[in-house]
Amino acid sequence: MKYLYLFLFSFLTFSHSFSQSYMVKGKVLEYGKQDPIPYANILLLSTSDSSQVYGTISEMDGEFEIGNVREGNYLFKIQYLGYRNYFRTILVNSNLDLGTLSIQEEATSLGEVVVSTRRSTGTQKSDTTMYNADAFKTMKDASAQVLIEKLPGVVSEGGSLQAQGENIAQILVDGKPFFGTDVQAALQNLPAEVIQSIEIFDQKSEKAQLSGFDDGVRLKTINIITKPNRRKGQFGKATAGLGTDDRYLMGASINAFDEDQRITFTGLSNNVNMLNYSSDANTQANSRPQEGIVTTNILGLNYSDLWGEKIKVAGSYTYSKRENVGIVSRFRDFVTTDDSNQEYSETSRDVRVNNQHRANLRLEYNPDERNRILYIPRFSAEASSENSSFLGETTDGLNLINQVDNLKTGQYQEYDLFNRLIYGHKFKKAGRSITFRGLLHNGWDNDESDRKARNIYYEGDGQRTENIDQRTTRERQGNRWEAGIAFTEAVGKNGQFELEYEIGNRGNNSDQLVFNVEGGDFEQGNMMLDTALSNAFQSDYLTQEFEVGYQYSNEKLRIQTEVQYQDANLDNKQEFPQAFDLNRKFTAVLPTVRFEYKFTPTTNIQLDFDTRTDEPQVRQLQPVIDNTNPLQLRTGNPELDQSYTKEFRLRFRSQNPDTDKSWFLFTRSAFVSNFISNSTFIAGEATEIQDGIILEKGSQLNRPVNLDGYWDVRSWLSYGMPLDFIKSKLNLNAGASITKRPGQVNDQIGFNNSQRFNAGFSVNSSISDQIDFNIWARSSFNNVENTLNSNLNNKFFQQLFRVNFNWIIWEGFIYRLDLNHQINSGLSAGFDNNFSLINMSLGKKIFKNQRGEVSIMVYDLLGQNANVRRNITETFIEDIQTNVLQQYFMVSFTYNLRRFSKGMDEDTYNELYQNN
């Protein structure tokens, strides 16, 4: 480590030597309208060979500034997506203000000659990828999600929307939060036609934004920039539909924008598995889960505004009621310590009703340019009910070992209150700042459930039956608080030093009481406390962290190193049935190194090395038997240690605005010591595991343990290019992951080694607003090897293919198709389902400017819809098949509201809603 610091010191000392330099600034506006042009490329080129010397990108207000420009003559260039390039020769021998500069649209008529070029789709600035929305054609009434899914490197993976290989965590609109972290609601509540441009970037933490010192906390974020003439008015849509089998859909999304003040209302009621409002009932987007039959009712409100000149406010509230009827078939192949088999099959039915209130707020107060106060509260309240049953059987591959028939009803309540407060102050000296932050988080759970189970244990030629009638109550209370202070100081022209201290505690109280109900009469029967299954447990995890760091950055290079010393104390107390107090103390040194280099303004590479510790959760610590499934008992382990992770990340981004070709590469590797894994004890005969608790032959006890040897490597590569001959975009992607996961079975440690390789492509049209299609395909090959039992070695393959097609045929008649095809190979018997899900509709645009649409649609035309997936853990491989929504027909009516201020451009308005 000392050699690393010596190298950094020598490198930075050398880098401080520089010649006389100046600043070039100005502002870019649209010719004729005087609207600011954000995210235009501002370049200083060599006058000898036109190679790029310096560069930047204009801000939201069109202003730009290039620092550290050496004296000399340059060719000044402005390049913006879809506009004519602006050139000018300049001499830099002092700070230079170019004033206001105007650029024109790219297509210009010269007599009978029209000069036009393909509109560039995007560009790259550091870790921010920017796209011009006009370069991606969509239907007139498409949602923001339709547009976002056309962007290079954006895919739908496992029910989540991903960009550049990482899950999108939040959506911003003009830099302000929109529906919190509910990505699907945000994208469905905004029409594509109001979007001017889109940014994809890794948003730094609030602390890092205040201090300017990167702490490594990132959220993959999409910022949607709206068109200036769409920021004042009311717009949205509403839908009502009735279908066969009593299917129905009613929903609305209304936006009222008045420059900085934005209010969005959304409502939804349906029983066709829509979790967020979308007027296109064809779509199989992430907002329509393929598990169970879901009835959803939602009311939502989003608000953002500027209160005066110093206060920014953004918040949202959502109420939802969901009922999910799930029917699941499950098959597990367990890891054993020899070549013998233990297999478990289960069929279950679960009806859950969930009522949830969720609210969040963000208040930012900037009394002056040097001070900033940020307050972020969140609240949620949830009440749910369960009515479930399952039948499970364990075999050795041929013969039954045991069987359980279980019925359960339950009522559950959960409350959560979160508060974060941050204050940042910048001193007059550049680079000097101080940041204070505090956090308070409280949560409460109250559960009560009744269970009737009938267990059968097969012994030789006979069998033994056990009946269970139990009532379980659980009360949990969690309290978490943190306080921290960080100080930064400029070191030289390009360096910054940080000193930080943080203290925090996570406390949890968890009480479980299990009562045996006499005679199975839950109304009047006597209740006897079962002390073997009951427990009162408390856990406190107190940490103190000291950190010192240094950051150096210039126009092309940023390098940062930090070292954190962590002192942690884990105190576990049990008050019932037997009292004990177990105190654990941990210390750790956590180094971090970050490196970023900009080859050009549109090409950069980032390398990160991070270390962290993760404490065990209360459910993993509490030593109480959970017999939810009497054949597979679970318990906690109060002797668990914290895990220690070393993580490496690489990101490479390159976007060529001239050719519209882009490269994205993301690689992540993690190595974990003291990984919190699972230990399974499979009883070869009836075994007493605790006073009064017998583990019958073939049954299991699962318990978390710390094991070494876990590592995981994942990579993702994407290449995008235009297909000019069909006015479309092609995106190729490939990925690989290799995981080594330790597990323990009957005190023997083994490893599940899995490899996954995938490749895919997508073709997204940008032809016109009359025709739109998206073709998407992905293939994945998976190989699993187990070191304890080679019988579990397995290879399986999955192919996914999707076509989404929309076409305005003639005179307002519109045809929509959504086709999904899936091939599964190598799964357990009965799970190799290949199926096609085809949804289509025919609609007619009506009313003035065709704002209304009447359509008839069919869901699952071929009647083949299915849902199959595979899960791999350290102790078993599992295949699951769930019930899904089946074929129905629906007639629906949709109305699009568009009412913008009178000051908007009339030609633009008519262009959006011209008669076909």
Side-chain angles (χ1 to χ4, degrees):
M1 182 62 71
K2 68 179 181 181
Y3 297 109
L4 174 61
Y5 286 122
L6 180 61
F7 166 77
L8 290 177
F9 178 80
S10 301
F11 171 79
L12 297 177
T13 302
F14 172 79
S15 299
H16 279 306
S17 60
F18 57 92
S19 61
Q20 182 67 38
S21 59
Y22 302 101
M23 177 184 66
V24 177
K25 67 178 183 178
K27 186 173 184 178
V28 185
L29 301 178
E30 182 177 357
Y31 180 80
K33 297 183 179 180
Q34 300 303 299
D35 290 330
I37 300 291
Y39 314 121
N41 287 307
I42 313 298
L43 307 174
L44 295 184
L45 310 178
S46 169
T47 55
S48 60
D49 59 7
S50 296
S51 62
Q52 181 179 318
V53 183
Y54 301 100
T56 188
I57 290 179
S58 61
E59 302 296 335
M60 281 287 296
D61 56 4
E63 293 185 354
F64 63 88
E65 183 177 301
I66 306 176
N68 298 324
V69 178
R70 294 184 181 182
E71 183 176 350
N73 290 300
Y74 296 94
L75 181 62
F76 176 81
K77 178 181 180 181
I78 302 177
Q79 183 182 43
Y80 185 60
L81 316 172
Y83 285 73
R84 296 176 63 187
N85 291 335
Y86 177 99
F87 290 98
R88 174 177 171 181
T89 301
I90 63 173
L91 170 63
V92 179
N93 55 14
S94 63
N95 291 334
L96 181 61
D97 187 349
L98 297 175
T100 298
L101 308 170
S102 297
I103 59 175
Q104 292 180 308
E105 288 276 358
E106 198 161 29
T108 304
S109 178
L110 301 174
E112 295 184 358
V113 180
V114 175
V115 180
S116 63
T117 61
R118 168 178 45 79
R119 173 164 289 190
S120 179
T121 61
T123 189
Q124 185 75 35
K125 177 184 178 182
S126 186
D127 66 347
T128 300
T129 309
M130 289 160 287
Y131 295 101
N132 178 15
D134 289 343
F136 300 88
K137 297 296 184 182
T138 63
M139 305 292 282
K140 297 176 183 177
D141 53 1
S143 69
Q145 181 158 336
V146 174
L147 174 61
I148 297 296
E149 289 182 346
K150 288 178 173 289
L151 304 183
V154 176
V155 297
S156 177
E157 179 75 23
S160 299
L161 201 61
Q162 292 187 344
Q164 302 166 5
E166 300 175 273
N167 287 344
I168 297 170
Q170 63 177 347
I171 301 295
L172 308 178
V173 175
D174 294 324
K176 302 172 184 176
F178 195 60
F179 278 94
T181 57
D182 193 336
V183 173
Q184 300 299 327
L187 294 179
Q188 290 294 341
N189 279 283
L190 201 66
E193 67 198 51
V194 306
I195 300 175
Q196 174 175 289
S197 58
I198 301 151
E199 296 178 310
I200 301 178
F201 63 97
D202 298 314
Q203 187 180 64
K204 298 178 182 179
S205 69
E206 301 290 352
K207 167 184 166 291
Q209 293 178 56
L210 284 168
S211 67
F213 200 92
D214 190 358
D215 60 3
V217 178
R218 306 289 180 87
L219 289 177
K220 183 63 71 175
T221 300
I222 288 182
N223 183 32
I224 294 173
I225 310 300
T226 59
K227 297 176 180 177
N229 57 10
R230 295 295 185 272
R231 295 176 185 173
K232 193 169 186 177
Q234 299 81 44
F235 55 94
K237 63 175 58 178
T239 302
L242 289 175
T244 57
D245 300 324
D246 297 322
R247 300 297 175 198
Y248 66 89
L249 165 65
M250 292 182 293
S253 172
I254 306 298
N255 298 274
F257 281 19
D258 188 2
E259 297 299 344
D260 291 314
Q261 185 184 89
R262 283 104 184 271
I263 301 174
T264 300
F265 166 81
T266 183
L268 175 66
S269 180
N270 78 101
N271 61 358
V272 292
N273 280 33
M274 280 192 178
L275 303 185
N276 294 296
Y277 171 61
S278 171
S279 63
D280 184 5
N282 281 342
T283 182
Q284 282 302 305
N286 300 322
S287 59
R288 300 192 73 179
Q290 282 288 86
E291 294 185 8
I293 308 300
V294 185
T295 300
T296 297
N297 296 280
I298 291 177
L299 289 174
L301 181 69
N302 189 83
Y303 172 80
S304 66
D305 199 1
L306 286 178
W307 292 351
E309 298 180 353
K310 298 181 178 182
I311 299 177
K312 299 178 183 179
V313 59
S316 64
Y317 165 78
T318 303
Y319 166 74
S320 64
K321 180 180 180 180
R322 291 193 175 102
E323 179 182 3
N324 191 331
V325 180
I327 300 173
V328 180
S329 297
R330 185 186 314 268
F331 180 82
R332 288 180 179 174
D333 207 342
F334 287 100
V335 176
T336 58
T337 54
D338 49 35
D339 289 335
S340 63
N341 291 327
Q342 184 167 98
E343 301 170 350
Y344 175 76
S345 59
E346 178 186 288
T347 56
S348 64
R349 187 179 190 274
D350 188 359
V351 179
R352 291 182 181 265
V353 179
N354 178 278
N355 291 271
Q356 185 182 64
H357 299 267
R358 190 171 67 249
N360 65 78
L361 185 66
R362 175 191 170 93
L363 283 170
E364 181 180 332
Y365 175 52
N366 298 278
D368 53 53
E369 62 182 8
R370 299 188 183 280
N371 294 279
R372 182 184 180 202
I373 301 173
L374 183 63
Y375 176 51
I376 304 175
R378 293 197 298 265
F379 172 76
S380 67
E382 184 175 336
S384 59
S385 63
E386 173 189 5
N387 190 338
S388 65
S389 63
F390 70 85
L391 176 65
E393 295 180 344
T394 307
T395 73
D396 60 7
L398 297 173
N399 304 307
L400 273 172
I401 299 176
N402 50 44
Q403 178 179 305
V404 59
D405 191 356
N406 190 92
L407 299 174
K408 183 180 180 181
T409 60
Q411 299 288 332
Y412 313 107
Q413 293 180 329
E414 181 178 341
Y415 305 91
D416 192 86
L417 180 61
F418 175 93
N419 292 273
R420 183 189 297 275
L421 182 65
I422 302 176
Y423 168 70
H425 173 75
K426 295 182 178 180
F427 295 90
K428 291 184 178 180
K429 181 182 179 181
R432 179 182 294 174
S433 71
I434 190 167
T435 306
F436 300 92
R437 64 187 186 278
L439 179 150
L440 183 61
H441 187 188
N442 297 283
W444 305 267
D445 296 347
N446 293 283
D447 304 341
E448 181 177 286
S449 60
D450 295 335
R451 186 164 67 91
K452 300 176 71 70
R454 183 170 181 263
N455 307 325
I456 302 176
Y457 303 98
Y458 297 91
E459 303 168 349
D461 295 332
Q463 64 184 49
R464 184 173 63 83
T465 301
E466 176 187 54
N467 293 316
I468 297 177
D469 299 292
Q470 289 179 340
R471 171 167 292 172
T472 301
T473 64
R474 292 188 179 93
E475 294 184 4
R476 304 184 185 93
Q477 181 175 353
N479 298 283
R480 175 184 164 213
W481 61 265
E482 290 179 5
I485 181 173
F487 175 78
T488 65
E489 176 71 29
V491 180
K493 183 180 177 66
N494 300 102
Q496 191 177 35
F497 167 83
E498 184 194 47
L499 188 64
E500 181 178 356
Y501 171 75
E502 180 179 288
I503 184 172
N505 185 71
R506 187 212 67 192
N508 288 280
N509 294 315
S510 181
D511 298 343
Q512 173 176 296
L513 300 178
V514 178
F515 300 89
N516 294 315
V517 181
E518 185 177 347
D521 185 352
F522 288 90
E523 296 295 330
Q524 300 180 356
N526 293 328
M527 304 243 179
M528 302 284 293
L529 180 65
D530 192 331
T531 57
L533 298 175
S534 301
N535 177 278
F537 185 77
Q538 178 180 340
S539 175
D540 284 283
Y541 184 71
L542 178 67
T543 60
Q544 294 188 77
E545 297 172 351
F546 306 85
E547 181 179 296
V548 60
Y550 179 80
Q551 175 179 276
Y552 173 85
S553 62
N554 59 26
E555 288 290 330
K556 288 184 171 293
L557 174 69
R558 181 179 67 86
I559 188 166
Q560 177 178 318
T561 181
E562 302 167 65
V563 177
Q564 180 185 103
Y565 174 78
Q566 183 188 80
D567 182 87
N569 189 74
L570 178 61
D571 187 14
N572 296 323
K573 295 180 181 179
Q574 179 173 286
E575 301 172 357
F576 176 84
Q578 293 88 29
F580 72 78
D581 189 343
L582 181 62
N583 188 276
R584 316 290 303 284
K585 187 174 180 61
F586 310 101
T587 60
V589 177
L590 304 171
T592 298
V593 178
R594 311 188 203 287
F595 172 86
E596 179 181 359
Y597 185 75
K598 302 175 186 177
F599 298 98
T600 70
T602 61
T603 302
N604 72 86
I605 188 171
Q606 291 179 329
L607 296 168
D608 293 334
F609 168 69
D610 280 305
T611 53
R612 70 174 186 272
T613 59
D614 293 292
E615 74 275 16
Q617 304 301 304
V618 66
R619 61 180 176 79
Q620 298 171 318
L621 293 168
Q622 187 173 10
V624 61
I625 297 294
D626 180 354
N627 67 342
T628 301
N629 186 336
L631 306 184
Q632 298 168 20
L633 304 181
R634 306 194 67 85
T635 188
N637 179 5
E639 297 184 357
L640 285 175
D641 291 341
Q642 60 178 198
S643 62
Y644 186 95
T645 300
K646 292 177 286 188
E647 186 172 292
F648 300 85
R649 292 186 301 273
L650 180 148
R651 295 179 177 92
F652 175 80
R653 305 174 178 92
S654 180
Q655 186 95 12
N656 189 322
D658 294 323
T659 64
D660 265 353
K661 295 180 179 179
S662 61
W663 285 94
F664 299 105
L665 171 64
F666 174 73
T667 298
R668 171 190 171 275
S669 59
F671 303 85
V672 185
S673 303
N674 280 332
F675 176 72
I676 300 178
S677 183
N678 195 59
S679 175
T680 300
F681 172 68
I682 303 175
E685 58 185 19
T687 304
E688 185 175 17
I689 57 174
Q690 188 174 306
D691 292 343
I693 299 179
I694 304 296
L695 192 67
E696 299 291 345
K697 179 181 178 181
S699 299
Q700 299 181 8
L701 175 66
N702 295 283
R703 182 172 181 262
V705 294
N706 291 110
L707 297 175
D708 289 329
Y710 176 94
W711 58 267
D712 177 71
V713 178
R714 299 174 184 270
S715 63
W716 182 87
L717 174 67
S718 171
Y719 173 69
M721 61 175 290
L723 298 177
D724 290 334
F725 66 97
I726 56 172
K727 296 183 179 179
S728 300
K729 311 292 188 300
L730 171 66
N731 188 65
L732 305 174
N733 61 79
S737 64
I738 303 174
T739 304
K740 183 177 183 181
R741 183 185 295 269
Q744 190 175 54
V745 178
N746 287 2
D747 295 327
Q748 292 191 34
I749 298 175
F751 294 89
N752 246 3
N753 300 317
S754 61
Q755 302 92 39
R756 184 173 186 264
F757 305 95
N758 60 78
F761 74 91
S762 65
V763 177
N764 298 285
S765 70
S766 287
I767 300 173
S768 73
D769 57 5
Q770 305 291 302
I771 186 169
D772 182 46
F773 64 83
N774 177 18
I775 303 172
W776 179 90
R778 188 192 66 205
S779 300
S780 62
F781 173 77
N782 302 265
N783 181 48
V784 181
E785 298 177 349
N786 188 272
T787 61
L788 287 180
N789 189 340
S790 59
N791 289 336
L792 291 185
N793 295 351
N794 181 256
K795 295 178 174 64
F796 61 99
F797 174 82
Q798 185 179 72
Q799 166 72 52
L800 303 174
F801 179 76
R802 180 181 179 186
V803 176
N804 185 271
F805 179 76
N806 301 279
W807 181 24
I808 298 180
I809 306 170
W810 171 76
E811 292 293 332
F813 283 96
I814 181 169
Y815 172 74
R816 294 185 174 94
L817 168 70
D818 194 77
L819 182 153
N820 290 265
H821 182 66
Q822 181 170 327
I823 299 173
N824 300 302
S825 176
L827 303 182
S828 304
F831 288 85
D832 287 348
N833 286 334
N834 306 325
F835 65 89
S836 295
L837 173 60
I838 300 177
N839 309 323
M840 64 174 59
S841 69
L842 182 65
K844 175 67 171 70
K845 298 286 187 180
I846 59 176
F847 299 150
K848 182 181 178 181
N849 294 324
Q850 301 187 348
R851 294 188 188 178
E853 181 183 330
V854 177
S855 67
I856 182 170
M857 64 87 65
V858 56
Y859 180 92
D860 190 15
L861 177 67
L862 302 181
Q864 296 183 1
N865 194 18
N867 180 47
V868 181
R869 71 176 187 271
R870 166 162 284 191
N871 298 323
I872 300 173
T873 74
E874 58 269 17
T875 54
F876 62 80
I877 298 175
E878 175 183 64
D879 292 326
I880 295 177
Q881 181 163 340
T882 66
N883 66 319
V884 292
L885 195 63
Q886 299 297 314
Q887 185 185 87
Y888 68 90
F889 294 82
M890 178 173 284
V891 176
S892 64
F893 169 73
T894 298
Y895 182 79
N896 289 276
L897 171 66
R898 299 293 186 271
R899 184 183 177 185
F900 295 100
S901 65
K902 293 181 180 180
M904 77 168 287
D905 184 83
E906 189 68 25
D907 292 336
T908 303
Y909 181 90
N910 292 330
E911 191 178 65
L912 286 171
Y913 289 100
Q914 59 184 335
N915 293 327
N916 296 308

